[in-house]
Amino acid sequence: MTESPGDTTTAESGAGAAPGAGIDGPLAFQDPAYREAVVDLLGAIAYGEISAFERLSEDGRLAPTLEDKVAIGSMATAEFAHVGPLLDRMSELGADPYAAMAPFRSAIDLFHEHTAPSDWYEGLIKAFVGDGLANDFYREIAAYLDTGTRDLILASLEDSGHSRFVIDRVRSAIAADPRLGGRLALWGRRLMGEALTQAQRVAAERDALSALLAGGVDRPGLDLAAISRMFTRLTERHAERMAELGLDS
Amino acid sequence: MTESPGDTTTAESGAGAAPGAGIDGPLAFQDPAYREAVVDLLGAIAYGEISAFERLSEDGRLAPTLEDKVAIGSMATAEFAHVGPLLDRMSELGADPYAAMAPFRSAIDLFHEHTAPSDWYEGLIKAFVGDGLANDFYREIAAYLDTGTRDLILASLEDSGHSRFVIDRVRSAIAADPRLGGRLALWGRRLMGEALTQAQRVAAERDALSALLAGGVDRPGLDLAAISRMFTRLTERHAERMAELGLDS
């Protein structure tokens, strides 16, 4: 196993120095285990986007104004727009995209069941913090993949420029009612805890995905120290997002 | 008042022979009543699309398979994609688009409350028959407007090619359980009745819109006979859609 991307943001920038940059896509896909792992990953991301779309659309019902309803609707449709290319790619790889998504439904649905927002602000924070966390995680993994897969994943994680909307809304609500800040800070911690719980469950169940992270003779992977550094980076970025919202993490 | 578009499908084809084809847009908008009526109409259509988006997203939860969930999600996001251009146009006309949509919320929300689908098939039929009816109605009105407004409205009513999906699903469900056909035929009649009820309510409340349909010294409008022919056309097209689904109307 070789070195991880380190503590820089290499994984995020998708620069040529990413550990997976040297992977020859067509060659890598001759390995059935690699193909299976990539299909798994795309399935997880695609179902995550479908699910995010559903929850954001539902959150629209909690919107205090019609402007807010339209803003959250835009976030929801932006998530959904990423689904098509992911499904197409799974089909190109010879997989049934619906079968590929199925193993991830229970973990992702459970995450949403356990983190159903009780009001508009909890929904906004979930959209910002929860999606941010999932996106950071997928970006980290994408760094270990062939360029084609990595580019597809990075494109489907693109922020659609709605962060500013969430930050503004949450900050002004806390300014108007400072007690809200305490409740929402707890909510952010709960989102993080529930995301880690479900991610561990998926990692334990999906051998192909775990093997992907461990690397192979011709592919770099993550050793335990590298995994630990990855979690440090994810936690730090979570704290940064909470701070942007004016919340303790 | 001048002659209506008659019983042909002129209004639908948007051909040069439409009664509003001779209306000079910039000149027409110097009439504050015309501008107000157009803003009203765009507000009604935009809120209708937002609302359709919300209901279709909700219907996704009733989807029997993940394929169906994705298909209905595509219909929902296609509706939402039309909202932006309508909001922009209202702003260009000097109106606050959110204020313009507000008067239509109660009628459209009531329509949805009174026609909440109790299962997946009722949701599909509502999407196909309800949206089809609303679209036919707006197309009829659009024929009386300046070209720019008419083109914008026709673009936002475009069928996103999902009709085939609905027809296939409903027909095969009825083939599998013929009793379903009777229940769904009743459901189609209820949708039609509720749509007419709410449309009449809006017409009674929004003077600018009604005046638009009545025409003006320099604009053709609809006399009572023409309105009656319009309703005949709407009813006929509704029956055609029901027949496509294999249902009596």
Side-chain angles (χ1 to χ4, degrees), chain A residues 66-103:
Chain A
L66 197 44
E67 285 92 327
D68 290 327
K69 198 190 275 289
V70 170
I72 202 110
S74 303
M75 293 171 74
T77 52
E79 297 273 2
F80 194 84
H82 299 137
V83 174
L86 292 168
L87 302 188
D88 291 346
R89 181 61 181 149
M90 287 185 268
S91 299
E92 279 167 25
L93 290 173
D96 170 355
Y98 295 98
M101 290 190 280

Side-chain angles (χ1 to χ4, degrees), chain A:
Chain A
M1 296 185 200
T2 53
E3 190 42 48
S4 80
D7 291 316
T8 68
T9 54
T10 315
E12 209 169 2
S13 66
I23 298 178
D24 179 325
L27 194 67
F29 282 112
Q30 285 175 15
D31 173 3
Y34 183 77
R35 175 192 300 260
E36 193 190 330
V38 166
V39 168
D40 250 25
L41 184 61
L42 299 180
I45 297 176
Y47 187 70
E49 306 258 19
I50 292 171
S51 193
F53 161 74
E54 280 198 302
R55 309 306 156 149
L56 287 170
S57 314
E58 268 181 53
D59 290 350
R61 287 185 302 176
L62 300 167
T65 70
L66 197 44
E67 285 92 327
D68 290 327
K69 198 190 275 289
V70 170
I72 202 110
S74 303
M75 293 171 74
T77 52
E79 297 273 2
F80 194 84
H82 299 137
V83 174
L86 292 168
L87 302 188
D88 291 346
R89 181 61 181 149
M90 287 185 268
S91 299
E92 279 167 25
L93 290 173
D96 170 355
Y98 295 98
M101 290 190 280
F104 303 99
R105 288 188 73 168
S106 124
I108 292 173
D109 287 353
L110 270 179
F111 171 75
H112 287 298
E113 267 176 45
H114 293 174
T115 58
S118 67
D119 68 10
W120 168 245
Y121 295 103
E122 289 191 359
L124 283 187
I125 288 176
K126 183 173 164 180
F128 180 64
V129 163
D131 287 3
L133 191 57
N135 289 359
D136 283 346
F137 177 65
Y138 292 131
R139 269 194 204 98
E140 290 275 355
I141 299 185
Y144 291 87
L145 304 178
D146 64 285
T147 322
T149 306
R150 189 167 69 234
D151 290 349
L152 173 66
I153 291 176
L154 295 181
S156 55
L157 302 179
E158 252 172 28
D159 178 18
S160 324
H162 294 99
S163 301
R164 200 65 252 162
F165 165 75
V166 174
I167 293 168
D168 288 348
R169 285 296 191 277
V170 172
R171 280 189 166 270
S172 55
I174 294 172
D177 175 10
R179 284 170 313 172
L180 189 64
R183 176 160 71 82
L184 294 179
L186 282 176
W187 173 246
R189 281 203 278 282
R190 187 160 139 214
L191 290 170
M192 180 64 163
E194 191 63 35
L196 288 180
T197 304
Q198 298 303 335
Q200 281 171 338
R201 201 182 132 194
V202 168
E205 280 173 9
R206 304 304 295 172
D207 289 343
L209 265 186
S210 311
L212 178 78
L213 284 182
V217 279
D218 54 346
R219 278 183 301 103
L222 289 155
D223 57 20
L224 276 182
I227 288 179
S228 156
R229 281 195 295 277
M230 181 178 94
F231 274 101
T232 303
R233 287 193 297 275
L234 292 176
T235 311
E236 281 169 2
R237 285 188 213 129
H238 172 71
E240 282 164 20
R241 270 188 295 270
M242 292 294 281
E244 279 187 90
L245 295 169
L247 296 172
D248 295 331
S249 56

Side-chain angles (χ1 to χ4, degrees), chain B:
Chain B
M1 300 190 197
T2 53
E3 188 44 47
S4 79
D7 291 318
T8 67
T9 54
T10 316
E12 209 169 4
S13 67
I23 297 177
D24 179 322
L27 194 68
F29 282 112
Q30 285 173 15
D31 174 3
Y34 183 77
R35 175 191 300 260
E36 193 189 332
V38 166
V39 168
D40 250 24
L41 184 62
L42 299 180
I45 297 176
Y47 187 71
E49 305 259 19
I50 292 171
S51 194
F53 160 74
E54 280 197 305
R55 308 306 155 152
L56 287 171
S57 313
E58 267 180 57
D59 290 349
R61 286 185 302 174
L62 301 168
T65 68
L66 196 45
E67 285 91 327
D68 289 328
K69 198 190 275 289
V70 170
I72 202 108
S74 302
M75 294 171 74
T77 53
E79 297 273 2
F80 194 85
H82 299 138
V83 173
L86 292 168
L87 302 188
D88 291 346
R89 181 61 181 149
M90 288 185 264
S91 299
E92 279 168 26
L93 291 173
D96 171 353
Y98 295 97
M101 289 190 279
F104 303 99
R105 289 188 73 168
S106 120
I108 292 173
D109 288 352
L110 270 178
F111 171 75
H112 287 296
E113 266 174 49
H114 293 174
T115 57
S118 68
D119 68 10
W120 169 245
Y121 295 103
E122 289 191 0
L124 283 186
I125 289 176
K126 183 173 165 182
F128 181 64
V129 162
D131 288 4
L133 191 58
N135 289 359
D136 282 347
F137 178 65
Y138 292 131
R139 270 195 203 97
E140 289 276 353
I141 300 185
Y144 292 87
L145 304 178
D146 64 285
T147 321
T149 305
R150 189 168 66 236
D151 290 349
L152 173 66
I153 291 176
L154 295 181
S156 54
L157 302 179
E158 252 171 29
D159 178 18
S160 325
H162 294 99
S163 302
R164 201 63 252 165
F165 165 76
V166 174
I167 293 168
D168 288 347
R169 283 297 192 276
V170 172
R171 280 189 166 269
S172 55
I174 294 171
D177 175 10
R179 286 170 312 173
L180 189 64
R183 175 159 71 82
L184 294 180
L186 281 176
W187 174 246
R189 282 204 277 282
R190 187 160 140 213
L191 289 170
M192 181 64 164
E194 190 64 35
L196 288 180
T197 305
Q198 298 303 335
Q200 281 171 338
R201 201 182 133 195
V202 168
E205 280 173 8
R206 306 302 298 173
D207 290 343
L209 265 186
S210 311
L212 178 78
L213 283 183
V217 277
D218 54 348
R219 277 184 301 105
L222 289 156
D223 58 20
L224 275 182
I227 287 177
S228 154
R229 281 194 296 275
M230 181 176 93
F231 275 101
T232 303
R233 286 192 298 275
L234 292 176
T235 311
E236 281 169 0
R237 285 188 215 128
H238 171 71
E240 282 163 20
R241 268 187 297 269
M242 292 294 280
E244 281 187 87
L245 295 169
L247 296 171
D248 295 332
S249 56

